[in-house]
Amino acid sequence: MPPENVPASSSETPNTPPPAAAKPPPGWVIGPDGKPCKICTAFRNWKPRNASASDAAGSKSSSSTNTGTSAAAAAAALAASQATPAEPTRPENCPPDVEVLGRATWTFLHTTAAYYPEKPTPTQRAHMLGLLHALPALYACSSCAEDFGERVRAHPPDVSGRGALSRWLCERHNEVNEKLGKKTFDCATEKLDERWKDGPADGSCD
Ligand SMILES: Cc1cc2nc3c(=O)[nH]c(=O)nc-3n(C[C@H](O)[C@H](O)[C@H](O)COP(=O)(O)OP(=O)(O)OC[C@H]3O[C@@H](n4cnc5c(N)ncnc54)[C@H](O)[C@@H]3O)c2cc1C
């Protein structure tokens, strides 16, 4: 798999293609069809890093020049213009990016596993298997889906009971965490239950 958020050689039709994209902007993920994939890409990479921050710095700089004020103001304007651009702020009503979708999906999956029966019926097992096998076929981030499908093939889901399923899911999530350079999670039952079902012992989530 290509590294995340790095244009690669595979594809997906984006909802909105990047502007005049002969070559996609840096940070866009290319889907399995060779096209830029918006839902596979983090919002911060949807647009080039932050035009508005440098605009703001530029206007600060010109306003201090216009008023002819102190060297301190000029130095502040210079510092602002050289500062690392801020991350774009994502309005609440935007469609999900790869991170918002991922967080919501993991929440759904881990919570579903946490409340799955310890002794599921054959029908419950079949439903759970159906859900997990449907994900790689339907997940909107196609590069994530393809990758997750390979993980599910390499490690078939253990739907024998709540504990086994939660651990299986934790391990798959950790594989994605590692791929993205994130910290891994302790897959001990107590830790999973604390995070996804019971909350911490100090009662702070009760
Ligand atoms: C099936 C799937 C595949 C994905 N593939 C990709 C991909 O290929 N590329 C990409 O850029 N993004 C992918 N994502 C999204 C990515 O995994 C994250 O969801 C996203 O980057 C946001 O990360 P986050 O740091 O907010 O926490 P998330 O990884 O979304 O985790 C949410 C919360 O779950 C808890 N947690 C973390 N790890 C575990 C674990 N192992 N077990 C139990 N709980 C845990 C933590 O409390 C964390 O805050 C995928 C998401 C899903 C659901």
Side-chain angles (χ1 to χ4, degrees), residues 4 98-99 102-103 105-106 110 135 139 143-144 147-148 170 173-174 176-177 179-180 182 185 192 195-196:
E4 288 316 293
V98 67
E99 295 181 343
R103 227 168 273 139
T105 305
W106 288 124
H110 288 298
L135 206 61
Y139 197 64
S143 53
C144 308
D147 181 59
F148 191 67
C170 180
H173 190 166
N174 273 343
V176 177
N177 288 342
K179 175 179 99 156
L180 299 179
K182 293 177 193 271
F185 193 92
L192 287 169
R195 174 66 180 91
W196 296 109

Side-chain angles (χ1 to χ4, degrees), residues 11 25 46 54 57 64 88-89 127 161 167 181 193-194 197:
S11 77
W46 284 8
S54 45
S64 61
T89 312
H127 283 319
R167 202 159 36 253
D193 280 354
E194 177 179 308
K197 190 159 173 278

Side-chain angles (χ1 to χ4, degrees), residues 19 37 45 69 71 82 138 158 160 173 181 206:
C37 172
N45 295 320
T69 48
Q82 291 173 342
L138 297 172
D158 185 342
S160 60
H173 190 166
D206 295 341

Side-chain angles (χ1 to χ4, degrees), residues 113-196:
Y115 286 84
Y116 185 69
E118 201 50 79
K119 293 191 174 146
T121 64
T123 305
Q124 286 168 323
R125 289 178 191 220
H127 283 319
M128 183 53 75
L129 276 179
L131 173 66
L132 295 170
H133 285 299
L135 206 61
L138 297 172
Y139 197 64
C141 166
S142 51
S143 53
C144 308
E146 190 178 39
D147 181 59
F148 191 67
E150 284 168 19
R151 298 182 195 287
V152 172
R153 274 191 292 283
H155 304 276
D158 185 342
V159 297
S160 60
R162 193 181 90 76
L165 177 63
S166 297
R167 202 159 36 253
W168 177 88
L169 195 58
C170 180
E171 288 165 0
R172 304 293 75 74
H173 190 166
N174 273 343
E175 290 172 359
V176 177
N177 288 342
E178 281 176 355
K179 175 179 99 156
L180 299 179
K182 293 177 193 271
K183 275 194 352 198
T184 55
F185 193 92
D186 182 346
C187 293
T189 304
E190 315 82 73
K191 298 288 180 195
L192 287 169
D193 280 354
E194 177 179 308
R195 174 66 180 91
W196 296 109

Side-chain angles (χ1 to χ4, degrees), residues 44-140:
R44 60 181 167 276
N45 295 320
W46 284 8
K47 328 181 197 189
R49 230 177 201 253
N50 192 1
S52 59
S54 45
D55 291 351
S59 64
K60 266 188 202 165
S61 161
S62 61
S63 69
S64 61
T65 308
N66 291 343
T67 53
T69 48
S70 71
L78 180 64
S81 69
Q82 291 173 342
T84 306
E87 290 275 305
T89 312
R90 189 176 169 281
E92 279 294 304
N93 60 348
C94 289
D97 69 349
V98 67
E99 295 181 343
V100 171
L101 177 65
R103 227 168 273 139
T105 305
W106 288 124
T107 297
F108 166 67
L109 291 173
H110 288 298
T111 308
T112 305
Y115 286 84
Y116 185 69
E118 201 50 79
K119 293 191 174 146
T121 64
T123 305
Q124 286 168 323
R125 289 178 191 220
H127 283 319
M128 183 53 75
L129 276 179
L131 173 66
L132 295 170
H133 285 299
L135 206 61
L138 297 172
Y139 197 64

